[in-house]
Amino acid sequence: MAELTSKERVIKFFKKEPIDTMPVFSGMGTVVIQAVNEMGVKFAQVHTTAELLAGSALKSSEMCGLDAVVVPYDMATVAQAVGCGLTLYENSADILYPTVPNKWETLEAVDIPADFMKRARMPIVDEAFNILIKDGRFAVGAWQLGPFTLAGQIIELGLLLKGAKKNKEAVEAFLTKMTDIVIESIKHYESLGVDFLNIREMGSGTDLLSPKMWNSLIQPHLTRIFSALKTPAVLHICGGTDMIVPLMNQCGADALSFDQKNTLAKTREVVGNDVIVLGNFDPYGTMVQMENPADVETVVKKCIDDGVDAVWPGCDLWPDVKLDNIKAWVKTSKEYGKKRSPVIGRI
Amino acid sequence: MSKSKEELLKALAEAVVEYDEDACKELSQEVLDNPNTLTPMEAVMNGLAAGMEEVGRLYDTHEYFVPEVLMCADALYAGLGILRPHIPKAEAGVNAQVVIGSIQGDVHDIGKNLVKMMFDVAGWGVHDLGRDVPLEQFVEKQLDTNSEVVAMSAMMTTTMLGMKKVIAMIKEKNPECLIMLGGAPVTKDVANLFGADGYADSAGNAVSEGIKMIGRLREFQASKK
């Protein structure tokens, strides 16, 4: 059996071509603290230079045996670039991801600078992609928040949620503006030459929105985004998703990713065997909390038995993982995933 | 003709369920204008809070989602703002305080605000620290105010570990203090592991749980009569 490189495996995977075994990767952050520590820097620093961002991504995937690298790690890059500021938590002893301290208070007050892609840390992220692509060993993944989740980073989420009922036209216009930002940024990453994309509309699950509202408020924007992309693209939503699986599947994504709240076996039945399904272990409960790697093996096997094409965490890996648990994820995926998955054949 | 007690309570509850802020204000004023019909406390607990209980039921059955719940909360607050100043302290029933906030690293506060509503309705003294709150501030505020409950929310996995530290710090200094955890990534197992006393697993469940607690407080209130 021909053995593929990590990069080849992931690229073929998204092209739905036969591969040697199940790729092990994620479209969300997979940086591990062991890699950051080995680099001799603090977690707060890795978000601040292209070298540290790319370096920590590469080292993490080397250490863990993953097939891809993904940057950035925090959700604040665009919000910072459009003027919401940044809190890095440099003095915290804990692992904390950067956040935005300021949000606009009304939809009308939001003023997006035309050159936001050149502001704040956006050039750092670009340069990190260049480093990762040049390295060439791993598939390179870029992600962006979906319009609704991005909106929640720059204005009060409550304003948006209530506005969706009370002031629908203004919210609709605002989400169109957010969609433009998402498309501009993700198309730019596409032009840099990344191998796959992930749109994370994680704030739109049915914990918050009704399927009816998802259909009218979220779906049209996501459909516009996916129709603008040429690179394989994933739609990821965490939280409650069972009720919106068919709607998610209509958005035009090449793959759908779910977290542990999704009833995955049922989801596979609903979407059939044409679309790639990714998921759905609890990243904290599995990679950090489990004391015995054999328990991780059970979780990974269940994901595969439920019908995923690759076993993804439901969110960013919590960086303070147990490396043995990560290795169990990788080993089980590769061994138990030697058989074909619902969508992807084997060489 | 002015409304009977039952009619007024029903109308208040319906105004909350239908997220009609204006009606909540008008009806609350009507309560004050007709002091012989019902007391402001009855109007809050058996009118506004009863309406919110129905909202909780509608959320549980997926008829309402968070946008509707938030608007119902606004309607409830519109009435509460009018009625609360007229409730005598002795009648408020609960003489307790809570420290509430979203933990450092978390800039979301929907769940926190919904849980806060529960305490506001029940007449607790609420110390709202806001969002992205440094861990020490929870401990300091609890010690300053000797609050009975500390309620913390973390919407993202990446911030929830800070809760463990706060719980340990508070429990060390004040073992009697009850800790409530809420936020999307916090599972019951995690809450148990961290040593918390209460748990709500999402903004929605927070309100659902919060509303159930309002229900228990209403029963408690009724049993005292």
Side-chain angles (χ1 to χ4, degrees), chain A residues 12-39:
Chain A
K12 281 179 175 286
F13 174 84
F14 278 117
K15 284 182 179 166
K16 299 183 185 173
E17 290 176 4
I19 48 178
D20 50 356
T21 188
M22 186 172 277
V24 191
F25 69 120
S26 172
M28 294 157 281
T30 49
V31 62
V32 297
I33 201 67
Q34 292 85 349
V36 177
N37 291 342
E38 201 168 284
M39 292 166 74

Side-chain angles (χ1 to χ4, degrees), chain A residues 89 94 97 156 162 318, chain B residues 66 74 131-132 158 161 165:
Chain A
Y89 306 104
D94 297 311
Y97 284 89
E156 295 298 335
K162 284 187 275 188
W318 174 253
Chain B
V66 175
D74 281 353
R131 59 191 179 202
D132 200 13
T158 51
L161 294 183
K165 285 194 172 174

Side-chain angles (χ1 to χ4, degrees), chain B residues 3-15 27 31 37-39 41-48 50-51:
Chain B
K3 294 183 183 71
S4 69
K5 179 177 175 174
E6 287 70 28
E7 284 170 338
L8 205 44
L9 288 173
K10 189 165 177 271
L12 276 165
E14 278 174 4
L27 290 161
V31 171
T37 307
L38 81 165
T39 66
M41 186 64 188
E42 283 175 311
V44 169
M45 296 310 284
N46 299 330
L48 298 176

Side-chain angles (χ1 to χ4, degrees), chain A residues 11-303:
Chain A
I11 290 173
K12 281 179 175 286
F13 174 84
F14 278 117
K15 284 182 179 166
K16 299 183 185 173
E17 290 176 4
I19 48 178
D20 50 356
T21 188
M22 186 172 277
V24 191
F25 69 120
S26 172
M28 294 157 281
T30 49
V31 62
V32 297
I33 201 67
Q34 292 85 349
V36 177
N37 291 342
E38 201 168 284
M39 292 166 74
V41 294
K42 285 170 81 174
F43 186 69
Q45 286 173 270
V46 301
H47 320 286
T48 59
T49 75
E51 291 71 24
L52 291 175
L53 197 52
S56 57
L58 289 168
K59 195 167 272 299
S60 295
S61 289
E62 277 168 27
M63 261 185 181
C64 298
L66 301 179
D67 289 313
V69 281
V70 175
V71 290
Y73 308 132
D74 66 281
M75 299 193 290
T77 50
V78 171
Q80 183 194 7
V82 300
C84 297
L86 188 74
T87 309
L88 265 178
Y89 306 104
E90 284 167 296
N91 297 320
S92 172
D94 297 311
I95 297 168
L96 288 175
Y97 284 89
T99 60
V100 285
N102 311 310
K103 293 186 182 188
W104 277 291
E105 283 174 11
T106 63
L107 296 178
E108 296 74 27
V110 176
D111 183 20
I112 306 292
D115 62 345
F116 77 94
M117 286 300 291
K118 295 187 176 123
R119 293 187 178 214
R121 290 180 297 145
M122 300 306 275
I124 289 174
V125 175
D126 283 4
E127 187 48 32
F129 278 126
N130 289 334
I131 296 170
L132 295 173
I133 290 164
K134 198 173 167 201
D135 179 87
R137 287 175 291 160
F138 303 98
V140 178
W143 62 273
Q144 190 51 270
L145 296 175
F148 184 80
T149 311
L150 179 62
Q153 289 288 306
I154 67 175
I155 60 159
E156 295 298 335
L157 198 52
L159 201 69
L160 199 65
L161 288 167
K162 284 187 275 188
K165 294 287 283 191
K166 283 180 174 172
N167 197 4
K168 210 176 168 210
E169 276 181 22
V171 167
E172 185 57 45
F174 186 71
L175 287 176
T176 299
K177 204 190 278 187
M178 293 297 103
T179 304
D180 293 341
I181 294 179
V182 173
I183 291 175
E184 185 177 341
S185 62
I186 206 79
K187 289 282 290 176
H188 175 69
Y189 298 142
E190 190 172 56
S191 75
L192 294 177
V194 302
D195 300 304
F196 69 97
L197 306 165
N198 185 15
I199 302 297
R200 300 170 68 179
E201 190 62 299
M202 54 237 238
S204 74
T206 53
D207 305 298
L208 289 179
L209 301 180
S210 67
K212 193 178 164 197
M213 192 177 273
W214 203 92
N215 191 20
S216 64
L217 197 70
I218 307 295
Q219 195 192 44
H221 299 288
L222 289 175
T223 305
R224 181 153 82 88
I225 292 169
F226 287 107
S227 70
L229 302 175
K230 293 189 183 77
T231 307
V234 182
L235 171 59
H236 170 83
I237 299 183
C238 42
T241 46
D242 280 343
M243 288 190 278
I244 54 170
V245 166
L247 298 175
M248 286 172 69
N249 197 29
Q250 290 163 8
C251 293
D254 299 280
L256 302 174
S257 159
F258 305 95
D259 84 356
Q260 57 276 12
K261 279 194 179 173
N262 184 274
T263 314
L264 220 123
K266 176 77 187 156
T267 290
R268 174 54 85 187
E269 268 180 43
V270 170
V271 300
N273 289 351
D274 290 328
V275 68
I276 294 171
V277 171
L278 305 158
N280 70 335
F281 69 81
D282 171 358
Y284 181 75
T286 311
M287 292 302 150
V288 180
Q289 276 191 296
M290 285 188 170
E291 296 293 336
N292 186 352
D295 295 335
V296 176
E297 189 181 323
T298 307
V299 169
V300 171
K301 281 182 174 170
K302 173 154 192 336
C303 293

Side-chain angles (χ1 to χ4, degrees), chain B residues 54-65:
Chain B
E54 173 64 7
V55 173
R57 191 192 68 74
L58 292 169
Y59 179 84
D60 285 343
T61 54
H62 303 303
E63 283 167 76
Y64 273 14
F65 289 81

